[in-house]
Amino acid sequence: MNIVDGDKIECARCESVFPIEDASLLEKETNRDYERVLCAECLGAVGVPRGYTLRRDISHLAQ
């Protein structure tokens, strides 16, 4: 997870930078250390694969 300027985050798939409140976080159910931040467009392309959970509110990470 790459937080930029304290309130923006980089998409793990397309590497675009966008506001952290618009981010979605995919977490692997069997390994909570495996996280991928996705923008809305990439989330639409990938979806939520089996074995993953989706967190939409990660705004607590903003500084």
Side-chain angles (χ1 to χ4, degrees):
M1 182 176 330
N2 189 11
I3 298 174
V4 181
D5 294 332
D7 63 349
K8 294 184 181 166
I9 199 157
E10 183 178 1
C11 178
R13 186 168 185 256
C14 70
E15 299 179 352
S16 65
V17 176
F18 56 97
I20 199 166
E21 59 267 4
D22 296 336
S24 296
L25 182 70
L26 281 179
E27 294 177 315
K28 199 168 198 174
E29 292 175 353
T30 57
N31 182 359
R32 291 290 180 182
D33 292 330
Y34 183 88
E35 302 173 329
R36 293 293 180 254
V37 173
L38 298 174
C39 65
E41 185 176 323
C42 288
L43 179 61
V46 173
V48 181
R50 184 180 305 174
Y52 289 80
T53 57
L54 179 67
R55 285 183 34 197
R56 290 198 180 264
D57 183 14
I58 60 171
S59 58
H60 65 279
L61 298 175
Q63 298 173 355

